[in-house]
Amino acid sequence: MPSAAKQAATSSIEHSHHYPPADQEPAKSSLARFLWPSEFETERDRLILGNGASELIDLVIRMAPRGTWRPGPFYTQYKEYERSARNNGFELLPFAGNDRANVACLVNPCNPTGDYLELDELKAWIASNVLPGGYAIIDESMQPWHSEQFREHSLTSQREYVEALYREQGISVFVMHSWTKLWCCTGLRLGSVVCPTAEHMRAIKKIQVPWSVNTVALAFLNAVVDDTAYLRDTWELTPLWRKETVDRLQSLFPDWVFHGRDFLSWIWIDTRDESVAQRAVELARAAGVPVRSGGPGYNLPTFIRVAVRHPAKVDVLVEALQKLR
């Protein structure tokens, strides 16, 4: 967790006898400035914060036109969108198919598979998969790892496209973020969504529980967006550590298949053997460096997901996995 933001969160406890600000300020404006350094004043009215992305996912899908729902074009993705769609009575369509849906949700970069669509590919997918009057929800939680130029590759930079799509076809594009991954604060629950218009934002605000984001999380966010050194380290070290981890594991297990772009903070690995994957999970957990199984939730039991971590922790993981050989 970034140290200055952690200190700001800790200090904010002194103000916990007050309700958090209902307008989420000044944290909301600070995040807007982070997303749109030059245009934040005109863009911030499309932005709303939530108690993790999970709250906002559910709120947006509750507002969406009823009918069919489909996931992105990848064989699996983060399951919270599917869970919310099922709970709200949508007919679930498979990821592969030609039918456009009332609501389509794409995680980009895709967690866990590591697939990634550039902006032109993303726009083509929306055009092919969302019905007129429908919702497109694009999860860009892992987008900021891309590089220092992540904003240029993000759908948040495409206001004219989003406005034209809504004006001409009635398609509403929402860009979702979970900020707890980038800034290592999962316990604080902090997310946001960029709406197609300010009217959409106000519609979410109307059904959102008051004071959804607590004082500590708001203080953390307000401080962390200014920690440029932390982001520089993230952009510099993540691809280096990821490549080193892939190289080391690949030398041990040449039959394993490694997936994902080089900037991602995790590695999606097909061990090609369910028993090997399960044993890898057990060995890593016992060594104190747990990895995720692809079995629960994704029903892909030959896969594991390994986080990109400091080389010293990778040493522990590699030593533990030596027992698989």
Side-chain angles (χ1 to χ4, degrees), residues 121-162:
E121 299 172 301
L122 187 56
K123 292 176 182 179
W125 182 85
I126 292 172
S128 299
N129 288 276
V130 185
L131 288 166
Y135 276 22
I137 307 174
I138 310 301
D139 190 318
E140 291 193 352
S141 295
M142 305 301 182
Q143 176 73 23
W145 269 274
H146 184 284
S147 65
E148 190 172 0
Q149 291 76 41
F150 77 91
R151 297 172 184 87
E152 300 167 22
H153 296 265
S154 167
L155 202 55
T156 59
S157 70
Q158 302 296 301
R159 178 167 185 165
E160 290 185 5
Y161 158 77
V162 169

Side-chain angles (χ1 to χ4, degrees), residues 95-296:
F95 75 93
N98 298 319
D99 294 331
R100 292 195 289 173
N102 299 100
V103 180
C105 302
L106 189 157
V107 180
N108 191 52
C110 183
N111 182 7
T113 70
D115 291 291
Y116 181 66
L117 299 183
E118 298 291 352
L119 280 175
D120 57 343
E121 299 172 301
L122 187 56
K123 292 176 182 179
W125 182 85
I126 292 172
S128 299
N129 288 276
V130 185
L131 288 166
Y135 276 22
I137 307 174
I138 310 301
D139 190 318
E140 291 193 352
S141 295
M142 305 301 182
Q143 176 73 23
W145 269 274
H146 184 284
S147 65
E148 190 172 0
Q149 291 76 41
F150 77 91
R151 297 172 184 87
E152 300 167 22
H153 296 265
S154 167
L155 202 55
T156 59
S157 70
Q158 302 296 301
R159 178 167 185 165
E160 290 185 5
Y161 158 77
V162 169
E163 288 181 341
L165 197 60
Y166 182 62
R167 181 176 63 251
E168 296 167 9
Q169 298 186 47
I171 293 176
S172 302
V173 177
F174 297 83
V175 183
M176 194 75 60
H177 289 97
S178 169
W179 296 110
T180 61
K181 309 297 191 302
L182 179 66
W183 288 313
C184 302
C185 60
T186 51
L188 289 183
R189 310 310 306 138
L190 190 59
S192 69
V193 62
V194 178
C195 303
T197 68
E199 289 73 23
H200 286 81
M201 186 279 291
R202 287 191 286 270
I204 294 175
K205 188 71 174 174
K206 186 175 181 179
I207 62 173
Q208 185 180 40
V209 174
W211 307 293
S212 174
V213 187
N214 64 58
T215 297
V216 176
L218 289 172
F220 178 92
L221 177 60
N222 193 51
V224 79
V225 293
D226 292 327
D227 196 336
T228 55
Y230 180 90
L231 286 175
R232 283 197 301 269
D233 286 346
T234 298
W235 294 323
E236 177 185 352
L237 294 174
T238 302
L240 297 176
W241 289 356
R242 191 182 195 279
K243 183 179 186 304
E244 179 181 335
T245 304
V246 170
D247 289 346
R248 294 181 69 180
L249 292 177
Q250 201 160 40
S251 68
L252 283 176
F253 309 104
D255 293 335
W256 288 10
V257 182
F258 297 80
H259 299 272
R261 294 291 188 97
D262 59 3
F263 64 84
L264 296 177
S265 62
W266 76 94
I267 308 158
W268 182 237
I269 304 170
D270 188 358
T271 69
R272 300 186 172 187
D273 187 309
E274 182 175 346
S275 62
V276 168
Q278 182 57 38
R279 181 66 175 146
V281 170
E282 293 168 355
L283 289 169
R285 183 186 297 119
V289 284
V291 302
R292 295 278 186 92
S293 169

Side-chain angles (χ1 to χ4, degrees), residues 56-74:
L56 296 168
I57 290 167
D58 193 64
L59 289 173
V60 172
I61 290 181
R62 263 196 264 166
M63 289 187 355
R66 288 300 183 269
T68 53
W69 172 92
R70 75 174 314 138
F74 315 123

